[in-house]
Amino acid sequence: MKKQTINIVWLKRDIRSQDHRPFQKAEQANVPYIIIYLFEPKFINYPDTSLRHLQFVYHSIKTLNNTLEPFNKKVTVLYTDAVTAINFLSDTYEIKNVFSYQESGVLATWQRDKKVKQICKINNINWQEYQRDGILRGIKNRQDWSTQWHKTMHQPVIKNTFNNTEKVEVLEHKYLLPRELESKLKVYPKQYQPAGEINAWRYLKSFAAKRGFKYQKHISKPTESRMSCSRLSPYLAWGNISVKQAFQFIGTHPNGTKNSNAFSAMLTRLHWHCHFIQKFEVECAYETHCVNKGYELLEHPINEDYIKAWKTGTTGYPLIDACMRAVAETGWINFRMRAMLVSFLTLNLDQDWREGTYHLARLFLDYEPGIHYPQFQMQAGTTGVNTVRLYNPVKNSLEHDPEGLFIKKWIPELANVPVSYIHEPWKMSLMEQTFCGVIIGEDYPLPIVDLQTSAKAARDKIWGHKKHPAVENEKDHILNTHVKPRKK
């Protein structure tokens, strides 16, 4: 029996219907096509992945299916690895093309894609990958990268249309989601931002309409930023909206005239978003190795008690603990608080940055490998080319949560502590603690390290190592590869 000739659209971090090059190419090809998403067991079990990520993806697909339903199209979900999926589909159909976006993922996805390329070649399939969000594959340095990125951002947004082309026979397969897993995916906790393309636009529009007017003023404040920041990060991470769509919408919005500082700041951060992903695209070893190999020479004795306290939000520093508990509950905190969490783990607690990367990756609903690992290393001070920032949690608490509202929301043990002590509750007398209904050291922990002592030790260790020949030797490579060349 002759196989039906088809094309495939392979969705990865691009679960949307608009500004979508693979969909555009599939429609233009005038060949029936199927749309697939792969829940690959290897990556479901990878240490950076959590149920909240999978739930977001599952519900994003559900939204996309609603959009595609009038055109008799639906995403076929397969629970298997990519090579098995392509081989299975090749046995079933005559596949001409696979259309997808390039993925700037961890080393494991890069290796997966190389195997897929081989399988496609063996089966005479043309796998056409497209550039995502202005990220360039194969470049050796940042010469002209920023110019090219801006050109991409100003290109017309693709207005995808879908036709009722020839149907592909319903695909019968054995690679169904396990019932237990699917039942978990169907649940979507209310404390997370809602998934899907429609919600992505809802958040973008509300930001430009009003929420974002105080973007700059509130960006560092843990409470106010939850409203004033765009909150687009989960939708950008999983591709419910493209960076170009967000860039053009904000850049041309009529409210930008009266809020130029806030809107310009947001556009700058979209640029940074891609700047960091580009780093990872070029060097995905950021995931597991110090980008500056000279920092591998430093030893960080593992202290399991410290790591556990950091992960569980029980360090004794209220702002640190509130941030960890907030992100564990909701999947989001603002940038400064993320940086402070990493700074506290790697500098104050002197723990290897790799002890925290996967933990936060699993908690962040907006986990984007290309941003996560380069940022983690930057905050940990292991690049040798960036200013090392040590975020004092008490100082940040006083400046950005002066009334302690964020702390009290996420640390109910401290709900009755007066503002004068909320940033340093261990300074209360025993009588005052009794009045507040919290005994420090029993109901809420004492600080696990002294801030001043640990900060000085970190400065001596990290700052002092910057002049080591092994660190110096790496600087040229890092600057030449990941930094825009300065004009002479």
Side-chain angles (χ1 to χ4, degrees), residues 265-323:
M266 177 62 198
L267 295 178
T268 298
R269 278 161 180 80
L270 289 175
H271 181 265
W272 288 356
H273 173 103
C274 298
H275 164 74
F276 281 97
I277 296 176
Q278 184 65 59
K279 287 179 186 240
F280 201 63
E281 166 64 33
V282 172
E283 199 162 358
C284 65
Y286 267 105
E287 178 194 356
T288 52
H289 295 77
C290 291
V291 64
N292 188 316
K293 297 182 180 64
Y295 280 95
E296 296 288 2
L297 298 174
L298 288 181
E299 293 184 358
H300 304 274
I302 292 178
N303 185 317
E304 296 290 356
D305 291 337
Y306 283 179
I307 295 169
K308 182 181 178 183
W310 179 77
K311 288 182 176 178
T312 56
T314 52
T315 67
Y317 284 101
L319 190 58
I320 296 287
D321 297 339
C323 287

Short mmCIF file of all heavy atoms in Angstrom, two decimals, residues 265-323:
data_model
loop_
_atom_site.label_atom_id
_atom_site.label_comp_id
_atom_site.label_asym_id
_atom_site.label_seq_id
_atom_site.Cartn_x
_atom_site.Cartn_y
_atom_site.Cartn_z
N ALA A 265 12.63 50.66 28.45
CA ALA A 265 13.30 49.71 29.34
C ALA A 265 12.84 48.29 29.06
O ALA A 265 13.64 47.33 29.08
CB ALA A 265 13.02 50.08 30.79
N MET A 266 11.56 48.14 28.77
CA MET A 266 11.04 46.81 28.45
C MET A 266 11.64 46.29 27.14
O MET A 266 12.02 45.11 27.04
CB MET A 266 9.51 46.87 28.35
CG MET A 266 8.85 45.57 27.96
SD MET A 266 9.14 44.25 29.16
CE MET A 266 8.71 42.83 28.17
N LEU A 267 11.74 47.16 26.15
CA LEU A 267 12.33 46.75 24.87
C LEU A 267 13.80 46.36 25.05
O LEU A 267 14.28 45.40 24.43
CB LEU A 267 12.21 47.88 23.85
CG LEU A 267 10.79 48.26 23.43
CD1 LEU A 267 10.82 49.42 22.44
CD2 LEU A 267 10.06 47.07 22.82
N THR A 268 14.49 47.10 25.90
CA THR A 268 15.89 46.76 26.18
C THR A 268 16.00 45.38 26.79
O THR A 268 16.90 44.61 26.45
CB THR A 268 16.49 47.80 27.16
OG1 THR A 268 16.46 49.07 26.53
CG2 THR A 268 17.92 47.45 27.52
N ARG A 269 15.06 45.04 27.65
CA ARG A 269 15.12 43.72 28.29
C ARG A 269 14.77 42.60 27.32
O ARG A 269 15.22 41.47 27.48
CB ARG A 269 14.26 43.70 29.54
CG ARG A 269 15.02 44.31 30.71
CD ARG A 269 14.17 44.76 31.87
NE ARG A 269 15.00 45.33 32.92
CZ ARG A 269 15.49 46.58 32.89
NH1 ARG A 269 15.20 47.36 31.88
NH2 ARG A 269 16.26 47.03 33.86
N LEU A 270 13.97 42.88 26.33
CA LEU A 270 13.74 41.87 25.29
C LEU A 270 15.04 41.61 24.52
O LEU A 270 15.33 40.47 24.13
CB LEU A 270 12.64 42.34 24.34
CG LEU A 270 11.22 42.35 24.91
CD1 LEU A 270 10.24 42.95 23.91
CD2 LEU A 270 10.77 40.93 25.30
N HIS A 271 15.82 42.67 24.33
CA HIS A 271 17.12 42.52 23.68
C HIS A 271 18.04 41.68 24.56
O HIS A 271 18.71 40.75 24.09
CB HIS A 271 17.72 43.89 23.41
CG HIS A 271 19.05 43.85 22.72
ND1 HIS A 271 20.24 43.91 23.41
CD2 HIS A 271 19.38 43.73 21.41
CE1 HIS A 271 21.25 43.85 22.56
NE2 HIS A 271 20.76 43.73 21.34
N TRP A 272 18.08 41.99 25.87
CA TRP A 272 18.91 41.21 26.79
C TRP A 272 18.48 39.75 26.80
O TRP A 272 19.31 38.84 26.88
CB TRP A 272 18.79 41.77 28.21
CG TRP A 272 19.47 43.09 28.41
CD1 TRP A 272 20.24 43.78 27.50
CD2 TRP A 272 19.45 43.90 29.59
NE1 TRP A 272 20.68 44.96 28.05
CE2 TRP A 272 20.22 45.06 29.33
CE3 TRP A 272 18.86 43.75 30.84
CZ2 TRP A 272 20.42 46.05 30.27
CZ3 TRP A 272 19.04 44.75 31.79
CH2 TRP A 272 19.81 45.89 31.51
N HIS A 273 17.16 39.55 26.78
CA HIS A 273 16.61 38.19 26.75
C HIS A 273 17.31 37.36 25.67
O HIS A 273 17.82 36.26 25.92
CB HIS A 273 15.10 38.31 26.48
CG HIS A 273 14.36 37.04 26.26
ND1 HIS A 273 13.56 36.47 27.22
CD2 HIS A 273 14.28 36.21 25.18
CE1 HIS A 273 13.03 35.36 26.76
NE2 HIS A 273 13.44 35.17 25.52
N CYS A 274 17.36 37.92 24.48
CA CYS A 274 17.96 37.18 23.35
C CYS A 274 19.49 37.20 23.42
O CYS A 274 20.13 36.24 22.97
CB CYS A 274 17.48 37.79 22.03
SG CYS A 274 15.70 37.65 21.81
N HIS A 275 20.04 38.27 23.99
CA HIS A 275 21.50 38.34 24.14
C HIS A 275 22.00 37.15 24.96
O HIS A 275 23.01 36.52 24.61
CB HIS A 275 21.86 39.66 24.84
CG HIS A 275 23.24 39.72 25.39
ND1 HIS A 275 24.36 39.87 24.60
CD2 HIS A 275 23.70 39.63 26.68
CE1 HIS A 275 25.44 39.89 25.36
NE2 HIS A 275 25.07 39.75 26.62
N PHE A 276 21.30 36.81 26.03
CA PHE A 276 21.74 35.69 26.86
C PHE A 276 21.48 34.34 26.18
O PHE A 276 22.29 33.42 26.28
CB PHE A 276 21.06 35.76 28.24
CG PHE A 276 21.73 36.75 29.14
CD1 PHE A 276 21.22 38.03 29.29
CD2 PHE A 276 22.89 36.43 29.82
CE1 PHE A 276 21.85 38.97 30.09
CE2 PHE A 276 23.54 37.36 30.62
CZ PHE A 276 23.01 38.63 30.76
N ILE A 277 20.37 34.23 25.49
CA ILE A 277 20.11 32.97 24.77
C ILE A 277 21.18 32.75 23.71
O ILE A 277 21.63 31.63 23.47
CB ILE A 277 18.70 32.98 24.15
CG1 ILE A 277 17.64 33.04 25.24
CG2 ILE A 277 18.49 31.73 23.29
CD1 ILE A 277 16.22 33.16 24.72
N GLN A 278 21.63 33.85 23.09
CA GLN A 278 22.68 33.73 22.08
C GLN A 278 23.96 33.18 22.69
O GLN A 278 24.67 32.38 22.08
CB GLN A 278 22.94 35.08 21.42
CG GLN A 278 23.95 35.03 20.28
CD GLN A 278 23.46 34.21 19.10
OE1 GLN A 278 22.43 34.51 18.51
NE2 GLN A 278 24.20 33.16 18.77
N LYS A 279 24.28 33.60 23.92
CA LYS A 279 25.45 33.05 24.60
C LYS A 279 25.35 31.53 24.70
O LYS A 279 26.29 30.79 24.42
CB LYS A 279 25.56 33.61 26.03
CG LYS A 279 25.99 35.05 26.16
CD LYS A 279 26.02 35.44 27.65
CE LYS A 279 26.31 36.92 27.80
NZ LYS A 279 27.52 37.19 28.55
N PHE A 280 24.17 31.10 25.12
CA PHE A 280 23.97 29.66 25.34
C PHE A 280 23.94 28.90 24.03
O PHE A 280 24.39 27.75 23.95
CB PHE A 280 22.67 29.45 26.12
CG PHE A 280 22.59 28.13 26.83
CD1 PHE A 280 23.47 27.83 27.84
CD2 PHE A 280 21.62 27.21 26.48
CE1 PHE A 280 23.41 26.61 28.50
CE2 PHE A 280 21.54 25.99 27.15
CZ PHE A 280 22.43 25.69 28.16
N GLU A 281 23.40 29.52 22.99
CA GLU A 281 23.38 28.90 21.67
C GLU A 281 24.82 28.59 21.22
O GLU A 281 25.10 27.53 20.66
CB GLU A 281 22.69 29.82 20.67
CG GLU A 281 22.86 29.47 19.19
CD GLU A 281 22.26 28.14 18.81
OE1 GLU A 281 21.24 27.75 19.40
OE2 GLU A 281 22.83 27.46 17.90
N VAL A 282 25.71 29.51 21.50
CA VAL A 282 27.11 29.34 21.09
C VAL A 282 27.85 28.39 22.02
O VAL A 282 28.72 27.63 21.59
CB VAL A 282 27.81 30.72 21.05
CG1 VAL A 282 29.31 30.57 20.82
CG2 VAL A 282 27.20 31.58 19.95
N GLU A 283 27.49 28.39 23.30
CA GLU A 283 28.28 27.63 24.28
C GLU A 283 27.36 27.03 25.35
O GLU A 283 27.25 27.57 26.45
CB GLU A 283 29.33 28.56 24.91
CG GLU A 283 30.46 27.85 25.58
CD GLU A 283 31.67 28.76 25.82
OE1 GLU A 283 31.61 29.94 25.40
OE2 GLU A 283 32.66 28.29 26.38
N CYS A 284 26.74 25.91 25.05
CA CYS A 284 25.78 25.34 26.00
C CYS A 284 26.48 24.64 27.17
O CYS A 284 25.80 24.15 28.08
CB CYS A 284 24.80 24.41 25.31
SG CYS A 284 25.52 22.93 24.61
N ALA A 285 27.82 24.64 27.17
CA ALA A 285 28.55 24.12 28.33
C ALA A 285 28.31 24.97 29.57
O ALA A 285 28.66 24.57 30.68
CB ALA A 285 30.05 24.06 28.03
N TYR A 286 27.70 26.16 29.39
CA TYR A 286 27.30 26.98 30.53
C TYR A 286 26.48 26.16 31.54
O TYR A 286 26.46 26.47 32.72
CB TYR A 286 26.40 28.13 30.05
CG TYR A 286 27.09 29.44 29.73
CD1 TYR A 286 27.28 29.85 28.41
CD2 TYR A 286 27.50 30.30 30.73
CE1 TYR A 286 27.87 31.08 28.11
CE2 TYR A 286 28.09 31.52 30.44
CZ TYR A 286 28.26 31.91 29.14
OH TYR A 286 28.85 33.13 28.86
N GLU A 287 25.79 25.15 31.04
CA GLU A 287 24.93 24.37 31.93
C GLU A 287 25.71 23.66 33.04
O GLU A 287 25.25 23.57 34.17
CB GLU A 287 24.15 23.32 31.12
CG GLU A 287 23.25 22.43 31.97
CD GLU A 287 22.74 21.20 31.23
OE1 GLU A 287 23.02 21.06 30.02
OE2 GLU A 287 22.08 20.38 31.88
N THR A 288 26.90 23.17 32.68
CA THR A 288 27.59 22.27 33.61
C THR A 288 29.02 22.70 33.96
O THR A 288 29.60 22.14 34.88
CB THR A 288 27.65 20.86 33.02
OG1 THR A 288 28.19 20.93 31.69
CG2 THR A 288 26.27 20.22 32.98
N HIS A 289 29.58 23.64 33.20
CA HIS A 289 30.97 24.01 33.44
C HIS A 289 31.10 25.52 33.59
O HIS A 289 30.36 26.28 32.95
CB HIS A 289 31.87 23.55 32.28
CG HIS A 289 31.95 22.06 32.15
ND1 HIS A 289 30.95 21.30 31.59
CD2 HIS A 289 32.91 21.19 32.53
CE1 HIS A 289 31.29 20.04 31.62
NE2 HIS A 289 32.48 19.92 32.19
N CYS A 290 32.07 25.94 34.40
CA CYS A 290 32.34 27.37 34.49
C CYS A 290 32.75 27.87 33.12
O CYS A 290 33.67 27.31 32.50
CB CYS A 290 33.47 27.65 35.48
SG CYS A 290 33.05 27.31 37.20
N VAL A 291 32.08 28.91 32.65
CA VAL A 291 32.42 29.43 31.32
C VAL A 291 33.85 29.93 31.33
O VAL A 291 34.54 29.87 30.31
CB VAL A 291 31.42 30.53 30.90
CG1 VAL A 291 31.52 31.74 31.81
CG2 VAL A 291 31.65 30.93 29.44
N ASN A 292 34.31 30.40 32.47
CA ASN A 292 35.73 30.72 32.65
C ASN A 292 36.34 29.55 33.42
O ASN A 292 36.12 29.40 34.64
CB ASN A 292 35.88 32.03 33.43
CG ASN A 292 37.33 32.48 33.48
OD1 ASN A 292 38.23 31.69 33.71
ND2 ASN A 292 37.55 33.76 33.25
N LYS A 293 37.07 28.73 32.72
CA LYS A 293 37.60 27.49 33.33
C LYS A 293 38.48 27.77 34.54
O LYS A 293 38.68 26.89 35.39
CB LYS A 293 38.39 26.70 32.28
CG LYS A 293 37.54 26.22 31.11
CD LYS A 293 38.38 25.40 30.13
CE LYS A 293 37.56 24.91 28.94
NZ LYS A 293 37.05 26.03 28.10
N GLY A 294 39.00 28.97 34.63
CA GLY A 294 39.83 29.31 35.77
C GLY A 294 39.10 29.19 37.10
O GLY A 294 39.72 28.94 38.14
N TYR A 295 37.76 29.35 37.06
CA TYR A 295 36.99 29.26 38.30
C TYR A 295 36.72 27.83 38.74
O TYR A 295 36.23 27.60 39.84
CB TYR A 295 35.69 30.07 38.19
CG TYR A 295 35.96 31.53 38.41
CD1 TYR A 295 36.16 32.38 37.33
CD2 TYR A 295 36.05 32.05 39.69
CE1 TYR A 295 36.45 33.72 37.52
CE2 TYR A 295 36.33 33.39 39.89
CZ TYR A 295 36.53 34.23 38.81
OH TYR A 295 36.84 35.54 39.02
N GLU A 296 37.07 26.86 37.88
CA GLU A 296 36.97 25.47 38.32
C GLU A 296 38.02 25.16 39.38
O GLU A 296 37.94 24.15 40.07
CB GLU A 296 37.13 24.52 37.12
CG GLU A 296 36.06 24.63 36.05
CD GLU A 296 34.71 24.06 36.47
OE1 GLU A 296 34.60 23.61 37.63
OE2 GLU A 296 33.78 24.10 35.65
N LEU A 297 39.03 26.01 39.48
CA LEU A 297 40.10 25.78 40.46
C LEU A 297 39.64 26.05 41.88
O LEU A 297 40.22 25.55 42.84
CB LEU A 297 41.30 26.68 40.13
CG LEU A 297 41.96 26.45 38.77
CD1 LEU A 297 43.03 27.50 38.53
CD2 LEU A 297 42.56 25.05 38.69
N LEU A 298 38.60 26.88 42.02
CA LEU A 298 38.11 27.19 43.36
C LEU A 298 37.32 26.01 43.92
O LEU A 298 36.51 25.40 43.22
CB LEU A 298 37.22 28.43 43.33
CG LEU A 298 37.91 29.77 43.12
CD1 LEU A 298 36.86 30.90 43.14
CD2 LEU A 298 38.96 30.03 44.19
N GLU A 299 37.53 25.74 45.18
CA GLU A 299 36.78 24.66 45.83
C GLU A 299 35.66 25.25 46.69
O GLU A 299 35.85 26.28 47.33
CB GLU A 299 37.71 23.81 46.69
CG GLU A 299 38.74 23.03 45.86
CD GLU A 299 39.59 22.11 46.72
OE1 GLU A 299 39.41 22.11 47.96
OE2 GLU A 299 40.42 21.40 46.14
N HIS A 300 34.52 24.58 46.66
CA HIS A 300 33.37 25.01 47.46
C HIS A 300 32.88 23.79 48.25
O HIS A 300 32.07 23.01 47.73
CB HIS A 300 32.25 25.54 46.56
CG HIS A 300 32.67 26.66 45.65
ND1 HIS A 300 32.67 27.97 46.04
CD2 HIS A 300 33.13 26.65 44.37
CE1 HIS A 300 33.08 28.73 45.05
NE2 HIS A 300 33.37 27.95 44.02
N PRO A 301 33.40 23.60 49.45
CA PRO A 301 32.98 22.43 50.23
C PRO A 301 31.46 22.38 50.37
O PRO A 301 30.82 23.37 50.77
CB PRO A 301 33.65 22.66 51.59
CG PRO A 301 34.80 23.57 51.31
CD PRO A 301 34.34 24.46 50.19
N ILE A 302 30.90 21.24 50.02
CA ILE A 302 29.43 21.11 50.08
C ILE A 302 28.96 21.11 51.52
O ILE A 302 29.49 20.39 52.37
CB ILE A 302 28.98 19.80 49.37
CG1 ILE A 302 29.24 19.91 47.87
CG2 ILE A 302 27.50 19.54 49.64
CD1 ILE A 302 28.88 18.66 47.11
N ASN A 303 27.98 21.94 51.79
CA ASN A 303 27.35 21.98 53.11
C ASN A 303 25.86 21.68 52.89
O ASN A 303 25.10 22.54 52.45
CB ASN A 303 27.53 23.36 53.76
CG ASN A 303 27.00 23.39 55.18
OD1 ASN A 303 25.92 22.86 55.45
ND2 ASN A 303 27.74 24.00 56.08
N GLU A 304 25.49 20.44 53.13
CA GLU A 304 24.11 20.01 52.84
C GLU A 304 23.09 20.79 53.65
O GLU A 304 21.98 21.04 53.17
CB GLU A 304 23.97 18.50 53.12
CG GLU A 304 24.82 17.60 52.24
CD GLU A 304 24.36 17.55 50.79
OE1 GLU A 304 23.32 18.17 50.47
OE2 GLU A 304 25.04 16.91 49.97
N ASP A 305 23.46 21.17 54.86
CA ASP A 305 22.52 21.94 55.69
C ASP A 305 22.24 23.32 55.07
O ASP A 305 21.10 23.78 55.05
CB ASP A 305 23.07 22.12 57.10
CG ASP A 305 23.09 20.81 57.87
OD1 ASP A 305 22.32 19.90 57.52
OD2 ASP A 305 23.89 20.70 58.82
N TYR A 306 23.30 23.94 54.55
CA TYR A 306 23.13 25.24 53.89
C TYR A 306 22.22 25.10 52.66
O TYR A 306 21.31 25.91 52.45
CB TYR A 306 24.48 25.80 53.42
CG TYR A 306 25.35 26.41 54.51
CD1 TYR A 306 26.61 26.93 54.20
CD2 TYR A 306 24.92 26.47 55.83
CE1 TYR A 306 27.41 27.50 55.16
CE2 TYR A 306 25.73 27.02 56.81
CZ TYR A 306 26.98 27.54 56.47
OH TYR A 306 27.77 28.10 57.42
N ILE A 307 22.53 24.10 51.86
CA ILE A 307 21.77 23.93 50.60
C ILE A 307 20.29 23.64 50.91
O ILE A 307 19.40 24.20 50.26
CB ILE A 307 22.39 22.80 49.76
CG1 ILE A 307 23.80 23.21 49.32
CG2 ILE A 307 21.52 22.49 48.54
CD1 ILE A 307 24.61 22.09 48.69
N LYS A 308 20.07 22.80 51.90
CA LYS A 308 18.68 22.48 52.27
C LYS A 308 17.95 23.72 52.76
O LYS A 308 16.79 23.97 52.39
CB LYS A 308 18.67 21.39 53.35
CG LYS A 308 17.27 20.97 53.76
CD LYS A 308 17.30 19.90 54.84
CE LYS A 308 15.87 19.54 55.27
NZ LYS A 308 15.88 18.56 56.38
N ALA A 309 18.63 24.52 53.58
CA ALA A 309 18.00 25.74 54.10
C ALA A 309 17.67 26.71 52.96
O ALA A 309 16.61 27.33 52.94
CB ALA A 309 18.93 26.41 55.11
N TRP A 310 18.59 26.82 52.02
CA TRP A 310 18.35 27.71 50.86
C TRP A 310 17.16 27.21 50.04
O TRP A 310 16.28 27.99 49.66
CB TRP A 310 19.63 27.75 50.01
CG TRP A 310 19.56 28.58 48.78
CD1 TRP A 310 19.64 29.94 48.71
CD2 TRP A 310 19.42 28.12 47.43
NE1 TRP A 310 19.56 30.35 47.39
CE2 TRP A 310 19.43 29.26 46.60
CE3 TRP A 310 19.31 26.85 46.85
CZ2 TRP A 310 19.31 29.16 45.20
CZ3 TRP A 310 19.20 26.76 45.47
CH2 TRP A 310 19.19 27.91 44.66
N LYS A 311 17.13 25.91 49.78
CA LYS A 311 16.06 25.35 48.95
C LYS A 311 14.69 25.43 49.63
O LYS A 311 13.67 25.55 48.94
CB LYS A 311 16.36 23.89 48.60
CG LYS A 311 17.49 23.71 47.59
CD LYS A 311 17.70 22.24 47.26
CE LYS A 311 18.76 22.07 46.18
NZ LYS A 311 19.03 20.63 45.87
N THR A 312 14.67 25.33 50.93
CA THR A 312 13.38 25.27 51.63
C THR A 312 12.95 26.63 52.19
O THR A 312 11.89 26.73 52.81
CB THR A 312 13.46 24.27 52.80
OG1 THR A 312 14.56 24.63 53.65
CG2 THR A 312 13.67 22.85 52.28
N GLY A 313 13.75 27.67 51.95
CA GLY A 313 13.39 28.98 52.45
C GLY A 313 13.45 29.05 53.96
O GLY A 313 12.54 29.59 54.61
N THR A 314 14.52 28.52 54.52
CA THR A 314 14.69 28.53 55.98
C THR A 314 16.12 28.93 56.35
O THR A 314 16.75 28.30 57.19
CB THR A 314 14.37 27.14 56.58
OG1 THR A 314 15.14 26.12 55.87
CG2 THR A 314 12.90 26.81 56.47
N THR A 315 16.61 29.99 55.72
CA THR A 315 17.98 30.44 55.98
C THR A 315 18.05 31.37 57.19
O THR A 315 19.14 31.65 57.68
CB THR A 315 18.54 31.20 54.77
OG1 THR A 315 17.82 32.44 54.61
CG2 THR A 315 18.45 30.38 53.50
N GLY A 316 16.90 31.89 57.59
CA GLY A 316 16.90 32.86 58.68
C GLY A 316 16.97 34.29 58.18
O GLY A 316 16.87 35.22 58.98
N TYR A 317 17.16 34.47 56.88
CA TYR A 317 17.12 35.82 56.29
C TYR A 317 15.76 35.98 55.60
O TYR A 317 15.49 35.32 54.59
CB TYR A 317 18.29 36.02 55.30
CG TYR A 317 19.58 36.25 56.03
CD1 TYR A 317 20.51 35.23 56.19
CD2 TYR A 317 19.83 37.49 56.63
CE1 TYR A 317 21.68 35.44 56.92
CE2 TYR A 317 20.99 37.71 57.35
CZ TYR A 317 21.91 36.67 57.50
OH TYR A 317 23.05 36.90 58.22
N PRO A 318 14.91 36.82 56.17
CA PRO A 318 13.51 36.86 55.71
C PRO A 318 13.32 37.08 54.21
O PRO A 318 12.48 36.41 53.60
CB PRO A 318 12.92 38.02 56.53
CG PRO A 318 13.73 38.03 57.77
CD PRO A 318 15.12 37.68 57.35
N LEU A 319 14.07 38.00 53.62
CA LEU A 319 13.83 38.25 52.19
C LEU A 319 14.26 37.06 51.34
O LEU A 319 13.59 36.72 50.36
CB LEU A 319 14.54 39.52 51.73
CG LEU A 319 14.16 39.99 50.32
CD1 LEU A 319 12.67 40.25 50.21
CD2 LEU A 319 14.93 41.25 49.92
N ILE A 320 15.37 36.43 51.69
CA ILE A 320 15.80 35.22 50.97
C ILE A 320 14.71 34.15 51.07
O ILE A 320 14.30 33.56 50.06
CB ILE A 320 17.11 34.67 51.56
CG1 ILE A 320 18.26 35.68 51.36
CG2 ILE A 320 17.46 33.31 50.97
CD1 ILE A 320 18.77 35.79 49.96
N ASP A 321 14.26 33.92 52.26
CA ASP A 321 13.28 32.85 52.47
C ASP A 321 11.94 33.16 51.81
O ASP A 321 11.29 32.28 51.24
CB ASP A 321 13.08 32.61 53.97
CG ASP A 321 14.37 32.13 54.64
OD1 ASP A 321 15.23 31.60 53.91
OD2 ASP A 321 14.50 32.28 55.86
N ALA A 322 11.54 34.44 51.86
CA ALA A 322 10.28 34.82 51.22
C ALA A 322 10.36 34.62 49.71
O ALA A 322 9.41 34.14 49.08
CB ALA A 322 9.95 36.27 51.55
N CYS A 323 11.50 34.98 49.13
CA CYS A 323 11.66 34.81 47.68
C CYS A 323 11.60 33.34 47.29
O CYS A 323 10.93 32.98 46.31
CB CYS A 323 12.99 35.42 47.22
SG CYS A 323 13.00 37.21 47.21
#
